[in-house]
Amino acid sequence: MPPNDNRIDARDWSLLAVLSVLWGGSFFFNGAGLRELPPLTLVFLRVALGAAVLLPLLRVQGISFPKRTLGWKPFFVIGLLNNVIPFSLIVIGQTIIPSGLASILNATTPLFTVTVMAMAGEEALQMRRVAGVVLGVVGVVILRGWGIETRPGQGFGILLCLGGACSYGFAALAARRLLKDSAPLGTATFQLMASTVMMAVAAGAVEQPWHLPMPGLTTWLAVLGLAGLSTALAYIVFFQILRRSGATNVMLVTLLIPVTAILLGWLVLGEPISMREIAGAIVIGSALLVIDGRALRMLQRVA
């Protein structure tokens, strides 16, 4: 169970950094996949292939399937709130608005999570944490810049992405209540299997993917990256952090995603880092310190 003071230890900070890289890549993979695949079909392939990647690991770890139909109910609830709804809304949103704007809207996830957990009585609504999350979102806006072009008609895409961020908040609450004793690997696999069933129905009814032409190699590579890295591996890390540090803390990853994207561009692609990006990263780092709380307590003791 998460610690009572909602702090994050060094191990989970490291896991959050890893998760930010894995989930940050999903915006790139989505953008590449949407060139040849409709959104619901892309989401179906993401969860189906992600489940296929994890299934062999269950046998290695000796994790068995839920034995009764009722045992699958929590995983269908989590799959709906954590995959089917947010993945679909965000991917459809990315057909309307740029990926950069989508990543900024995704950074509002901790705000929704803090609110949902407080309303449900699961975590105290600490003003320190709320202020830190708001500061973090401001940092993301500074880092990404308002230079992203917005056009008439993009309001619906913005609402879709915000809806996806809100759904993640409810998913964190459901996971905390329904899956407290479930192993991270089992949770990740079973919720993806449940999501595959639901997305097969949705994609089949709306887009009839069997009538689509076969995508090219680039699209398949994007789908494999989306399923293997940004879904299968990412969810093992996600549920590990959720189990150890709590729902609000694990959702802080959305503040880190833009920072890791900038750093990867600098390290791997040699892209320059502007002063605006440095300022945004500093604001985000300050926000995480405020949320964690230990730095503020140290300053109070010194004072």
Side-chain angles (χ1 to χ4, degrees):
M1 291 297 293
N4 292 328
D5 59 2
N6 290 317
R7 293 185 300 184
I8 312 176
D9 61 21
R11 176 185 174 185
D12 283 347
W13 276 120
S14 300
L15 290 175
L16 277 173
V18 171
L19 186 58
S20 71
V21 174
L22 295 173
W23 269 354
S26 67
F27 291 95
F28 166 77
F29 292 135
N30 280 338
L34 285 171
R35 294 175 182 174
E36 293 189 280
L37 292 171
L40 297 183
T41 299
L42 180 61
V43 174
F44 165 71
L45 290 173
R46 175 179 185 176
V47 295
L49 293 177
V53 169
L54 293 179
L55 274 172
L57 300 179
L58 290 181
R59 185 176 182 85
V60 174
Q61 295 292 322
I63 299 174
S64 58
F65 289 91
K67 299 186 183 305
R68 294 178 296 176
T69 303
L70 190 62
W72 281 97
K73 182 179 178 180
F75 300 108
F76 272 88
V77 173
I78 302 302
L80 178 67
L81 295 173
N82 211 36
N83 296 329
V84 173
I85 293 176
F87 286 1
S88 299
L89 292 181
I90 291 171
V91 171
I92 295 172
Q94 280 190 256
T95 65
I96 304 172
I97 64 175
S99 296
L101 180 54
S103 69
I104 290 178
L105 297 171
N106 189 55
T108 63
T109 296
L111 284 174
F112 288 109
T113 306
V114 167
T115 304
V116 169
M117 299 301 286
M119 291 177 62
E122 290 289 334
E123 295 180 3
L125 185 61
Q126 299 173 327
M127 293 310 299
R128 164 179 58 82
R129 298 177 66 78
V130 174
V133 170
V134 172
L135 182 61
V137 174
V138 171
V140 171
V141 173
I142 294 172
L143 186 146
R144 299 296 309 198
W146 280 120
I148 298 173
E149 181 183 359
T150 56
R151 299 182 300 274
Q154 289 189 347
F156 183 58
I158 291 172
L159 288 176
L160 289 175
C161 289
L162 288 175
C166 181
S167 184
Y168 280 133
F170 283 98
L173 172 63
R176 174 155 179 153
R177 288 187 170 180
L178 300 177
L179 302 174
K180 291 187 294 185
D181 300 321
S182 179
L185 176 59
T187 300
T189 307
F190 301 145
Q191 58 118 21
L192 285 175
M193 292 175 65
S195 300
T196 299
V197 174
M198 290 182 279
M199 285 309 308
V201 174
V206 176
E207 297 171 348
Q208 299 181 339
W210 53 87
H211 292 314
L212 299 173
M214 181 62 65
L217 177 61
T218 301
T219 298
W220 278 116
L221 290 175
V223 170
L224 290 175
L226 187 62
L229 298 176
S230 298
T231 306
L233 180 57
Y235 269 133
I236 294 176
V237 177
F238 170 84
F239 285 112
Q240 181 68 33
I241 304 171
L242 177 65
R243 193 176 185 184
R244 287 168 48 85
S245 293
T248 300
N249 286 334
V250 72
M251 291 308 182
L252 297 178
V253 67
T254 57
L255 300 179
L256 287 173
I257 286 174
V259 177
T260 56
I262 296 296
L263 291 176
L264 285 174
W266 175 60
L267 291 171
V268 179
L269 303 176
E271 297 176 345
I273 298 179
S274 68
M275 289 303 299
R276 172 181 54 78
E277 291 166 338
I278 293 174
I282 291 174
V283 173
I284 293 171
S286 302
L288 295 175
L289 289 175
V290 171
I291 292 168
D292 185 63
R294 281 174 286 196
L296 291 178
R297 283 191 290 272
M298 289 176 63
L299 290 175
Q300 289 173 351
R301 285 197 295 267
V302 171

